[in-house]
Amino acid sequence: MLPHEGNRNRLRATQSSVRLIKELNRVCPSILLAVLPQLQEKLKSSDVNERLEVTRLLAEMFSDKGSELATQNKQLWNCFLRRFNDIEAAVRAECVSTCKNFILNHLKLSDDCYTNLCKRHRDPDEKVRLEAVKVVYAIASDDITRMTPELFMILQERMLDKKWPIRHQAIMNVARLYKEI
């Protein structure tokens, strides 16, 4: 077996386990109590793809309507929140993209997400900043009452971004919001 084949097999195994965990969480969340500490360790993995997959999985599990996972397992929630500061931009962007679901579905968790979203809109990576602009617009278009002054400030600041795609997205989103309201 070649070295890259081992990585490919490990990635397939991770993806299969993620699908299984999603289904188990949907059917009977209490079964997963033994698996959650392992997921927490995978969030700290040195493998970017593994961290990204587990971040997506936990974001989906935490943000499901009616999910109490974050309140029942604060340690795992806090470990998930640390991924907003991950060294890899793809993981940070994934965290930012999930903020909308938390803010719209879970009032208890929305404060943590507001805080992290406001930090990430100044991220050094333009993909993360662009994702933050898209998420703010998605929140505003779904439920304008969830918009805070800080979220409006994100759009305002990004309209002055030095990168054209981010500036363009922010300007277009403000124009769409103005038209909708």
Side-chain angles (χ1 to χ4, degrees):
M1 183 186 319
L2 297 172
H4 67 280
E5 287 179 11
N7 288 340
R8 194 176 317 142
N9 289 338
R10 198 167 93 193
L11 181 61
R12 276 193 218 126
T14 299
Q15 290 171 338
S16 296
S17 63
V18 164
R19 284 193 301 271
L20 177 64
I21 291 170
K22 281 181 189 178
E23 277 303 309
L24 286 173
N25 185 55
R26 193 179 58 75
V27 175
C28 184
S30 61
I31 286 178
L32 295 176
L33 292 177
V35 176
L36 295 178
Q38 294 171 348
L39 291 177
Q40 186 171 337
E41 287 305 311
K42 286 187 180 234
L43 277 176
K44 300 172 186 174
S45 171
S46 60
D47 181 15
V48 175
N49 292 325
E50 190 172 51
R51 276 197 325 269
L52 191 57
E53 283 293 321
V54 174
T55 300
R56 283 184 185 132
L57 169 67
L58 287 174
E60 189 175 316
M61 290 169 59
F62 284 135
S63 67
D64 281 344
K65 285 189 178 182
S67 174
E68 294 294 321
L69 182 61
T71 53
Q72 293 170 352
N73 198 326
K74 272 294 204 201
Q75 190 175 11
L76 183 60
W77 172 246
N78 289 330
C79 190
F80 171 78
L81 289 176
R82 284 193 287 277
R83 294 303 97 211
F84 277 90
N85 298 317
D86 196 279
I87 195 165
E88 186 64 35
V91 176
R92 294 192 310 270
E94 183 64 34
C95 289
V96 167
S97 71
T98 64
C99 283
K100 174 190 167 201
N101 296 332
F102 291 115
I103 290 170
L104 295 177
N105 295 336
H106 295 282
L107 288 175
K108 294 177 186 174
L109 306 178
S110 63
D111 286 341
D112 292 332
C113 289
Y114 279 127
T115 303
N116 283 298
L117 181 59
C118 288
K119 288 179 188 173
R120 289 297 102 203
H121 90 278
R122 291 186 179 129
D123 196 275
D125 190 273
E126 77 178 82
K127 292 174 188 160
V128 179
R129 294 194 312 270
L130 183 61
E131 193 61 40
V133 169
K134 289 177 181 178
V135 167
V136 169
Y137 172 72
I139 293 167
S141 64
D142 281 359
D143 187 358
I144 194 72
T145 62
R146 297 291 173 97
M147 289 293 287
T148 63
E150 292 83 11
L151 292 181
F152 281 115
M153 289 300 293
I154 289 175
L155 291 176
Q156 180 184 354
E157 284 185 33
R158 292 305 99 210
M159 288 192 316
L160 303 173
D161 198 283
K162 63 182 177 183
K163 298 289 185 170
W164 167 246
I166 299 165
R167 196 170 56 237
H168 176 69
Q169 186 73 43
I171 291 168
M172 294 305 294
N173 288 351
V174 168
R176 284 187 203 113
L177 284 175
Y178 182 76
K179 185 177 178 182
E180 290 174 13
I181 298 173

